[in-house]
Each structure stands twice: as structure tokens, then as C-alpha cells.
Amino acid sequence: MVENWKKFLMPYEQAVSELKIKLRGMRKQYQQNNEHAPIEFVTGRVKPIDSIKEKMQRRYITEDLLEQDMQDIAGLRIMCQFVEDIHEIVGLLHQRTDMKIVEERDYVSNVKPSGYRSYHIVIEYPVQLISGEKLILAEIQIRTMSMNFWATIEHSLNYKYQGEFPETLKARLKRAAEASFMLDKEMSEIREEIQEAQQLFSYGKWQNALEKATENDSEGETPD
């Protein structure tokens, strides 16, 4: 077993920190251009040691193959407003030269039997250490906020039932997944109106801030 977990996980922690900054930077670039940002927000984590050990045992992963066979020790999640945003983000990631995509799993088009939807990308990412460059694997999950809500609930229930859901609960989860996706489809139908309203709202906030700043400057002026 790994003798020093803190040392082993350090490159993964660095990768998650760097990737969060880079992905959030993509969102800022869209905002600065006054364009709809396909990225709503980004989260990331390094898998807890107990979870790594449990998965090693469940998947029969040996220590010497841990870095190769466990692709989600470093995990990031990109949340979107619309299903169309998912495919735009996938395209953006393919264009990047600071990471290499090694695997893709499209659970948006190929829904899991449980109803789970998400787009998973496994990347090879170079981390710069004082000892030199180290290539590590990281998993990026891209999903709408609606998909994420369903997946979070399903994940919590999975802990309770250890994957053995009662048939009635399984059926209700499946119906909830379909209802969630119907919401995404409806939002896609009125996407242009939503984006226009959001831009107007953002512009209005900017105008109010500018007017307030101007008023404060005027109040601070002293008459001749």
C-alpha cells in the first residue's frame, strides 16, 4: 500500500487547483466579451484516501497500476445552463494544448439505464514539480445543473442502499431523470430568450454600478 499518501496525492491536488483556475478563466473570457458563457461554475476535488482504498478493493486495482487504472483521483465538474453548452465545452477542451484527452464517455446521448446523464472526459495533464514534469490522469464531468441535481440525489441514495435500490425507488428515480431532462429540453427551446434576458440584466447591473460610482465621485468634489 502507498506509504505516504500526502506525497502521492500532492500532484493531484496541484492539478485540480490549476485546472479550476484555467476553466474558470474560460468563463471570464466569455463574460469580458459580453457573450454567453457555456460554463456556469466549476468545482473540483481530490478523491479521499478511504474512497481510493475502497475502489482499489472493489475494482481489483493493484498499487503499481493505481495511477494508470484509477482515472478520477483528480476530479473536476463543470456545470452548464443548457445541454448545448456541454458540447461547446467539449469542443473547447479538444482545442487546448495544455492537456490531452485520452478517453470520452457520452452519457448525455447514451443514457445509463439508471437515468444518469453527464459527459465524462479523461485527460492527461502535465504537472510541474521540482523533480520534473509528471503526467497524471484527471476526470472532467460536464453536465447541466438539472443533471447534477439528479446525480447528487442518486449518489446519496446509492450510499444508503449500496447500489441495490428497491424496484419502486429505482422506477421513481428513472422517472425523475426523464423529468429532469425534459426541463433541460424546455430550457433549450427558449435558450435565446433566456440569454438575452441575462445579458440585459448584467448590463443593467453594470449601468447601476457605473451610475453609483459617478454619484459618489460627484459627492466627493469640492466647489471652487
Side-chain angles (χ1 to χ4, degrees):
M1 186 53 65
V2 177
E3 293 182 2
N4 189 335
W5 279 104
K6 187 174 182 180
K7 182 178 180 181
F8 175 81
L9 292 175
M10 192 274 291
Y12 292 94
E13 292 170 351
Q14 182 174 324
V16 169
S17 296
E18 291 178 7
L19 287 165
K20 283 196 293 185
I21 290 171
K22 290 180 177 183
L23 294 171
R24 288 168 179 168
M26 291 165 64
R27 170 177 165 77
K28 286 182 180 178
Q29 291 174 55
Y30 276 96
Q31 291 175 322
Q32 287 171 352
N33 293 336
N34 199 30
E35 298 175 4
H36 167 70
I39 297 174
E40 185 67 12
F41 60 91
V42 179
T43 61
R45 62 95 184 102
V46 173
K47 187 182 282 292
I49 296 171
D50 287 344
S51 297
I52 294 174
K53 291 179 178 178
E54 185 275 330
K55 191 169 184 178
M56 288 177 70
Q57 186 175 9
R58 176 164 44 89
R59 298 281 181 89
Y60 302 102
I61 298 173
T62 57
E63 183 181 334
D64 58 323
L65 294 176
L66 178 57
E67 293 180 339
Q68 173 186 324
D69 288 357
M70 197 172 297
Q71 301 173 328
D72 64 341
I73 295 177
L76 293 107
R77 190 168 293 160
I78 301 175
M79 242 65 70
C80 314
Q81 288 187 336
F82 307 102
V83 175
E84 291 81 3
D85 293 338
I86 295 175
H87 303 294
E88 183 172 352
I89 293 168
V90 171
L92 289 169
L93 294 180
H94 271 281
Q95 294 172 15
R96 296 191 70 101
T97 58
D98 55 348
M99 62 184 72
K100 177 184 176 182
I101 294 177
V102 296
E103 188 174 332
E104 295 180 68
R105 296 187 290 274
D106 183 359
Y107 299 123
V108 177
S109 301
N110 305 292
V111 189
K112 283 190 173 185
S114 64
Y116 177 84
R117 286 180 170 89
S118 187
Y119 200 106
H120 294 194
I121 291 180
V122 178
I123 63 168
E124 189 178 66
Y125 182 75
V127 176
Q128 305 302 321
L129 306 173
I130 58 172
S131 56
E133 183 177 276
K134 181 178 179 63
L135 295 174
I136 69 162
L137 297 178
E139 183 183 69
I140 302 176
Q141 298 179 354
I142 312 166
R143 56 178 68 152
T144 65
M145 291 181 286
S146 177
M147 292 174 190
N148 188 63
F149 173 71
W150 184 93
T152 302
I153 298 299
E154 194 265 353
H155 185 70
S156 300
L157 289 170
N158 196 47
Y159 271 101
K160 178 179 180 180
Y161 292 102
Q162 296 297 305
E164 299 295 328
F165 294 117
E167 288 301 318
T168 53
L169 180 59
K170 188 186 296 185
R172 297 184 79 168
L173 278 171
K174 185 70 179 292
R175 289 197 299 271
E178 293 305 316
S180 174
F181 192 62
M182 284 300 299
L183 173 62
D184 279 334
K185 289 177 69 175
E186 288 295 327
M187 291 297 103
S188 290
E189 290 293 326
I190 56 173
R191 179 165 55 108
E192 290 184 6
E193 291 188 34
I194 294 172
Q195 290 174 357
E196 184 180 347
Q198 289 173 337
Q199 283 188 329
L200 288 171
F201 179 71
S202 297
Y203 180 76
K205 283 171 52 177
W206 177 81
Q207 283 286 81
N208 289 337
L210 181 63
E211 289 173 4
K212 189 173 182 180
T214 303
E215 289 174 3
N216 290 339
D217 289 343
S218 299
E219 290 172 1
E221 292 178 356
T222 53
D224 294 334

